[in-house]
Amino acid sequence: IQVTQNKGNVGKVTADRMEYVLQTASRLVPGQIVSRVLVAAVATWLSWYALVLKPASRQTRAWGPRWLAVSSSAVLHNFGKAWLRFTDDSNDAVQRGILDYDKQYLMVWHPHGAFTVAALYFMSYFWARDYPRFRRGKAYVAVAPLLLRVPLLSEFLLLCHARSQDSKTFNALLAEGATVAVQPGGIHEQVCTDGNKEQVFIPPRLGFIRMAIKHGVPLLPVYAFGENQLYRTSSWIRRLNMWFYHKFGTGNLIVLGMFGIPNSPVFPNPLMLPIFGSGMHVRRGEPVEVGTPEENPSEERVQEVLRRYEAALKKLFDTHKDACLPKAVADKGLLVMHRGPKGPALTKEQAPVEQANSSKL
């Protein structure tokens, strides 16, 4: 609309310009309007991601206002407490002297489960509040870069101190003296989730062990008891998700949602909620000291730290399994799988080798 000034008549709309605008609008069908709006929205978000979110995913300081992080994460936290039977030993860890303002750890949490509900519903709120004893900007969680490219989810995670798990960012956070949490099992552990047993997967390169040694930061095992039982599982679901994982590198695309109905996170809906009333119990073990920092530790030192970490994980699991897991699951113990160097695929031919490299804790 062109506003002209003609003989003091301010605000007169040029008739031919208005006619042009009306004719153009009349030629646009609803589908064209929607498509143009969608294209504009996508272009806007991509610019937002490139200019704001991507740099934020690699920075070593808090991002966004604290009040927004706390209020947004409180919604999921309060819902999770109402929907699930949640307990946490943060206060006990403070009393034991494990969690404190001047402590730095590389927190290693297990298991991944179908969707890391413990981290999304509960830990995000704790970290947004710097609870129980963290300094703002000194506690982060390393997540897969893909999660930081999903609209709305990426903003939420960044507000709650999530950062990209690439080695450069990981190193920078630890070098700044921050505590960093990581889930080493990754997507492979996710697609192998089985509600009838507890198993964790150790990556072949042992990056989390090497990173802890490099910075001289103790390893703190954390176990989310009940994570594997939040969704019904079946062998055909695992086979299907494993096929997608092998072909496309994706996580769980199909799960048995509410009432056992097959569902997908690609289309979020209420049927994707965890089983109502399920137990979720987060427990922390004893820190594992790694000794003096070393840039390039020997393989012998890496394996020695790994053995001590697995012993601490065993102690943590055995201490709480009977109170926090179904008896049939607890009695089977914890299976730690050491993935081989041949890649993520677990074929029938590789299965005996994989089993030989595993240990029941």
Side-chain angles (χ1 to χ4, degrees):
I1 300 174
Q2 178 182 349
V3 179
T4 63
Q5 298 181 6
N6 186 16
K7 295 181 181 181
N9 185 16
V10 180
K12 180 179 179 181
V13 180
T14 306
D16 57 345
R17 183 67 65 182
M18 177 62 78
E19 182 179 1
Y20 170 77
V21 171
L22 293 175
Q23 289 177 352
T24 302
S26 66
R27 288 196 296 268
L28 288 175
V29 297
Q32 291 176 316
I33 296 175
V34 172
S35 64
R36 292 189 181 189
V37 170
L38 289 176
V39 169
V42 170
T44 300
W45 191 87
L46 289 176
S47 300
W48 167 251
Y49 170 77
L51 298 175
V52 179
L53 299 183
K54 188 174 181 180
S57 71
R58 298 172 179 173
Q59 71 183 30
T60 57
R61 62 184 185 276
W63 182 80
R66 185 176 186 274
W67 68 265
L68 182 58
V70 173
S71 59
S72 58
S73 59
V75 175
L76 271 179
H77 179 261
N78 292 332
F79 170 77
K81 288 181 66 177
W83 192 261
L84 304 172
R85 294 181 293 107
F86 174 72
T87 63
D88 172 74
D89 70 342
S90 293
N91 292 329
D92 178 65
V94 170
Q95 293 177 1
R96 287 187 288 154
I98 294 177
L99 298 180
D100 210 343
Y101 293 114
D102 60 348
K103 299 289 182 67
Q104 181 188 15
Y105 296 108
L106 201 165
M107 288 188 177
V108 189
W109 93 82
H110 312 273
H112 189 290
F115 295 114
T116 60
V117 171
L120 182 63
Y121 280 30
F122 304 107
M123 296 299 105
S124 61
Y125 178 64
F126 290 170
W127 290 61
R129 291 179 54 206
D130 308 307
Y131 175 85
R133 289 195 177 185
F134 292 120
R135 299 188 191 280
R136 181 159 175 78
K138 289 298 182 181
Y140 297 92
V141 56
V143 301
L146 177 63
L147 298 178
L148 300 174
R149 298 173 188 150
V150 180
L152 298 182
L153 177 62
S154 57
E155 288 86 347
F156 175 79
L157 292 176
L158 288 171
L159 281 170
C160 298
H161 302 182
R163 295 294 182 267
S164 173
Q165 69 179 11
D166 65 89
S167 59
K168 184 178 180 180
T169 304
F170 211 140
N171 267 303
L173 291 170
L174 290 174
E176 288 287 327
T179 285
V180 182
V182 65
Q183 206 292 314
I187 296 177
H188 187 91
E189 188 169 295
Q190 179 187 26
V191 298
C192 290
T193 298
D194 186 344
N196 296 315
K197 62 183 178 181
E198 295 295 306
Q199 58 183 356
V200 300
F201 289 81
I202 304 297
R205 289 181 290 183
L206 302 177
F208 72 103
I209 299 289
R210 298 179 189 277
M211 197 72 73
I213 296 175
K214 178 179 180 179
H215 294 272
V217 177
L219 294 157
L220 182 64
V222 181
Y223 205 93
F225 292 89
E227 182 78 64
N228 287 336
Q229 288 74 40
L230 294 181
Y231 290 87
R232 296 172 177 87
T233 59
S234 68
S235 58
W236 73 269
I237 288 287
R238 282 190 294 277
R239 287 196 299 269
L240 184 58
N241 284 320
M242 186 63 77
W243 183 86
F244 281 117
Y245 172 52
H246 290 181
K247 294 294 183 181
F248 308 107
T250 59
N252 282 346
L253 293 181
I254 305 294
V255 296
L256 294 177
M258 296 288 290
F259 314 112
I261 300 175
N263 222 307
S264 174
V266 177
F267 306 103
N269 62 85
L271 293 178
M272 284 295 301
L273 291 173
I275 299 172
F276 177 75
S278 297
M280 167 63 69
H281 313 286
V282 177
R283 300 291 183 266
R284 295 161 179 82
E286 296 296 328
V288 177
E289 298 292 338
V290 299
T292 57
E294 185 177 357
E295 181 76 21
N296 297 302
S298 65
E299 189 63 27
E300 290 76 12
R301 184 178 180 186
V302 171
Q303 292 297 328
E304 188 271 334
V305 172
L306 175 62
R307 285 192 294 271
R308 290 195 291 113
Y309 174 77
E310 290 185 0
L313 181 61
K314 172 190 186 322
K315 181 179 179 181
L316 167 62
F317 183 85
D318 288 343
T319 300
H320 301 285
K321 65 177 183 178
D322 294 326
C324 299
L325 288 173
K327 186 178 186 306
V329 177
D331 289 345
K332 296 177 183 178
L334 176 64
L335 186 66
V336 176
M337 306 291 289
H338 293 255
R339 292 173 55 196
K342 294 185 178 181
L346 181 60
T347 64
K348 292 181 179 179
E349 291 76 18
Q350 293 171 328
V353 177
E354 189 79 0
Q355 184 65 29
N357 291 332
S358 69
S359 59
K360 185 176 180 181
L361 298 183

